[in-house]
Amino acid sequence: MDIYSETSMQIEQQLAEIQSKVADVLSLALKKGATQAEASMSKVEGIAVSSRMREVENIEFTNDGGLGISVYVGKHKGSASTADLSPSALALAVEKAVDIARYTSEDPCTGLADAELMATEFPDLELYHPIPLDPQKAIETAVRAESAALDYDPRITNTDGASYNANIGMRVYGNTHGINAGYTSSRYSLSCMVIGSEGEDMQRDYAYTVSRNASLLDSPESVGREAAKATVERLGAQKIKTATVPVLIDKQIAAGLFGHYVGAISGGSLYRRSSFLLDKLGSQVFPEWLNIVERPHLKGGLASSNFDNEGVATRDLNVVEQGRLSTYLYTSYSARKLNTVSTGHAGGIHNWVVGNSGQSDAELLKTMGTGLWVTELMGQGVNIVTGDYSRGAAGFWVENGIVQYPVHEITIAGSLQDMYANIVAIGAEQDCRGSVSTGSVLLEKMMIAGA
C-alpha cells in the first residue's frame, strides 16, 4: 500500500518498524566492537513530470529507501549504507562499517554529538500532507502551467518546459545515546520556464511555487502567467554604462545574499580559517535595525525540524541581533575543533526569518530613486574567505523610482562586508519559498560593470 493511502495507525506502525531496524543495527554495532554508533533510514515515494510545448516530456516515479550507519571505534570512524533492508544486508553493512573504522586514522574530534544535546521532545510540525501520486493529475498540472504561459502573450514563442514534483515519505534517526526518532514529511513543487522573442531579441524567465501542502501551491495558471509576464518584461533589454549606483536585490533572489552569510559563519569555514567573518562574534556586520532569527519549529516550514542530522535538538535562535553577529553555526565536529558545543546545525539551517524595514517593493524603488533593480544573478563569483563579490546580473534600470527599461549582460561587484553594512532597507513583502524568508534588499551602492 502506498504511503499516501495508509491510515494514521499504519503510518505509525511503519515508523515503528523502521525505528526497530535502526535499534537493531545500533545494538549489533556495539556487539561488533563499536563504542558509539548512529544510523538513519529513509523511505521516499515520489513522482516527477515535465512537459514541453503542452506535451508530456518525461514521467518518473521514485520509491527509494535506504539505511546509513556510522560507527566509532574509539576515535576511528567507519560508515556504510545499504538499500537492501533485509536482516542479513543490514548485518553486513554494520560489519563493513566496523571493519572500515579499524583502518581509518584516529581523529580526536570525531564521535556522536554530546548526549545532553539530544532531542527529547518531538511535537508535530505539520510537515506531512499526503495526496495520491496521480500521474494524470501531475501531467495536467504541468500542461496547465505551460499553456497559461503560452497563451499569455504572442511574444511567448517557446518554452523550456514545466515541471511538477511530489515527494512523500519518512525518516528515522537514532544513535547509541538513546535517541531513536522519526517523522513523516511531504513536499510539492511546480515550475515553468518560457522563452519570449521580439525581433532578434530573445529572453527567458521562470516562476515556481513550493509547499509541504499541495493545496497551498499557487495555481498552475498563475505560475504560467508569472513566468510569461517576467519573460515579456525582459524583452528589449539593454546594456548600461559602468557606474556606481544603488542596487535593489529582488526578494526572489535575496535569500542567496544571506546564504553567503550562512557559509561564512558555519563551523567548517571557521576551523579551516577560511571565512571573512572569522573572530567576528559580537561585531557589527549589518545595520543596527536588522535582526535575523531562526525558527526551526514553524508549522509546515520547508526547513522545520525537531532535531538536526546528529539528533541535536533544534531551538529558536537569534542569529543577528541589532546588526551584530550573535552566533556561529556548529556541528558536533566543528564545535570540538573550536572547543565549543554544537548549535544543532548538522545538515543546514532551520527557517531563517530576516527582519524588514516596513516598505513595500514599490516604496523601495522610490527610496532607491535611480539605480539598478536586480532580478537575476548568474555565476559563482563569491569568495567566502575574502568577502569579494562579483556576479553576472540582469534586471531593470530605474530612474526617480520608476522602471525605465530592462538591462542585461552586466556584472555587479563589491564586498560582502560593505554590502551587509550598507543595507539601506529590506522590504516587508517576503519570499518564503526556502530556508531563508526575506524581502527585497536595497543596498546603498555597488559597482555595475556594463558596456
Side-chain angles (χ1 to χ4, degrees):
M1 184 179 292
D2 295 332
I3 293 175
Y4 60 80
S5 59
E6 293 174 328
T7 64
S8 177
M9 184 177 296
Q10 288 171 317
I11 288 294
E12 291 178 6
Q13 180 181 353
Q14 193 169 66
L15 269 174
E17 290 173 355
I18 294 177
Q19 287 176 287
S20 179
K21 288 182 183 292
V22 167
D24 288 345
V25 298
L26 293 175
S27 177
L28 184 58
L30 295 179
K31 291 177 182 177
K32 293 293 184 178
T35 51
Q36 293 182 331
E38 60 183 341
S40 62
M41 185 170 171
S42 62
K43 179 179 179 182
V44 178
E45 186 178 358
I47 185 172
V49 171
S50 61
S51 67
R52 189 171 185 279
M53 294 303 290
R54 308 183 209 252
E55 297 290 337
V56 178
E57 189 169 54
N58 185 60
I59 303 177
E60 181 178 346
F61 288 92
T62 57
N63 193 356
D64 298 330
L67 180 140
I69 181 166
S70 293
V71 302
Y72 304 91
V73 179
K75 290 298 182 179
H76 302 264
K77 179 181 179 180
S79 299
S81 62
T82 177
D84 183 348
L85 303 179
S86 66
S88 59
L90 294 176
L92 180 61
V94 171
E95 291 177 9
K96 293 297 184 183
V98 173
D99 287 344
I100 291 169
R102 299 188 192 282
Y103 291 98
T104 58
S105 300
E106 185 176 57
D107 187 338
C109 295
T110 200
L112 299 179
D114 298 341
E116 61 271 20
L117 299 178
M118 295 296 104
T120 56
E121 298 181 0
F122 309 97
D124 181 9
L125 300 180
E126 300 179 10
L127 308 181
Y128 186 58
H129 303 272
I131 62 170
L133 300 179
D134 183 345
Q136 191 57 48
K137 185 173 181 180
I139 292 169
E140 176 187 323
T141 300
V143 171
R144 283 169 58 193
E146 210 180 16
S147 294
L150 289 166
D151 294 340
Y152 179 81
D153 189 290
R155 289 172 291 180
I156 301 299
T157 55
N158 203 345
T159 84
D160 269 350
S163 297
Y164 173 82
N165 291 270
N167 291 282
I168 53 180
M170 57 186 65
R171 178 177 180 270
V172 170
Y173 172 85
N175 66 34
T176 49
H177 284 329
I179 183 175
N180 191 342
Y183 61 91
T184 52
S185 65
S186 56
R187 186 183 180 95
Y188 308 93
S189 65
L190 172 66
S191 63
C192 183
M193 178 177 285
V194 297
I195 299 169
S197 60
E198 190 171 49
E200 296 183 357
D201 185 28
M202 295 182 66
Q203 298 291 338
R204 172 188 294 141
D205 216 319
Y206 72 98
Y208 75 99
T209 179
V210 59
S211 179
R212 296 279 190 185
N213 188 335
S215 68
L216 299 180
L217 293 175
D218 295 338
S219 73
E221 288 76 15
S222 65
V223 172
R225 287 191 294 267
E226 182 183 344
K229 180 176 183 292
T231 301
V232 168
E233 288 176 345
R234 293 180 61 165
L235 290 171
Q238 305 176 28
K239 297 180 181 180
I240 56 175
K241 294 182 179 180
T242 297
T244 298
V245 297
V247 169
L248 178 64
I249 306 294
D250 190 80
K251 58 182 176 294
Q252 294 194 63
I253 57 174
L257 194 60
F258 299 101
H260 304 314
Y261 182 74
V262 173
I265 66 171
S266 293
S269 298
L270 300 174
Y271 78 73
R272 295 184 182 94
R273 304 191 69 78
S274 58
S275 169
F276 71 94
L277 290 176
L278 185 68
D279 300 324
K280 297 293 185 180
L281 194 64
S283 298
Q284 196 78 39
V285 177
F286 297 96
E288 289 187 359
W289 55 265
L290 181 58
N291 297 298
I292 302 176
V293 297
E294 182 170 79
R295 295 292 182 260
H297 305 146
L298 290 178
K299 301 290 186 180
L302 291 171
S304 292
S305 180
N306 287 312
F307 52 89
D308 74 353
N309 287 357
E310 297 180 316
V312 175
T314 55
R315 58 188 174 86
D316 288 353
L317 191 65
N318 294 326
V319 180
V320 172
E321 294 183 84
Q322 296 181 331
R324 295 183 180 277
L325 196 169
S326 57
T327 185
Y328 287 127
L329 310 178
Y330 300 108
T331 64
S332 63
Y333 186 84
S334 62
R336 292 186 184 116
K337 280 281 192 179
L338 296 165
N339 195 32
T340 184
V341 297
S342 170
T343 56
H345 288 91
I349 61 173
H350 312 285
N351 300 323
W352 277 22
V353 181
V354 179
N356 66 79
S357 48
Q359 299 98 322
S360 67
D361 284 1
E363 290 170 334
L364 287 179
L365 289 174
K366 290 180 181 179
T367 300
M368 180 172 68
T370 297
L372 180 67
W373 175 19
V374 175
T375 58
E376 182 182 14
L377 290 167
M378 296 154 278
Q380 304 296 322
V382 182
N383 189 327
I384 295 299
V385 180
T386 63
D388 291 342
Y389 185 100
S390 178
R391 298 188 67 185
F396 299 89
W397 183 251
V398 178
E399 294 181 3
N400 298 318
I402 300 173
V403 173
Q404 300 298 306
Y405 50 83
V407 297
H408 65 169
E409 297 182 14
I410 57 175
T411 299
I412 60 173
S415 73
L416 288 170
Q417 296 94 317
D418 291 341
M419 292 164 69
Y420 292 153
N422 295 321
I423 292 177
V424 175
I426 297 179
E429 301 172 24
Q430 289 196 326
D431 189 309
C432 303
R433 296 175 295 180
S435 57
V436 178
S437 297
T438 180
S440 299
V441 178
L442 178 57
L443 306 175
E444 183 179 37
K445 60 182 178 180
M446 289 188 74
M447 171 67 75
I448 312 301

